Amino acid sequence: MPVVINEVVTDITPEPVPAIHAQAPQGATPVTQPEYELLQTLNLIQERQARLQFD
């Protein structure tokens, strides 16, 4: 005889996503334009990795 479950209750505690600093890396240390673009790309990759951990 099949059993039908109408409701499931769970407790999930989400972990907060780490905040990305708003300060531009170029303002913190003097870097060239190609280095700055690389830093922007790396920051974007890290942000997406953090989001994918919770999706």
Side-chain angles (χ1 to χ4, degrees):
M1 182 171 190
V3 176
V4 180
I5 299 174
N6 291 332
E7 183 178 350
V8 176
V9 178
T10 61
D11 292 329
I12 299 174
T13 55
E15 296 180 18
V17 177
I20 305 298
H21 298 289
Q23 181 183 9
Q26 193 175 25
T29 57
V31 294
T32 63
Q33 185 63 29
E35 291 172 332
Y36 179 68
E37 291 172 3
L38 178 63
L39 289 173
Q40 284 181 323
T41 305
L42 290 174
N43 284 337
L44 182 61
I45 291 170
Q46 290 173 347
E47 181 181 323
R48 288 182 181 173
Q49 284 177 340
R51 280 193 223 149
L52 287 173
Q53 289 179 347
F54 299 102
D55 286 346

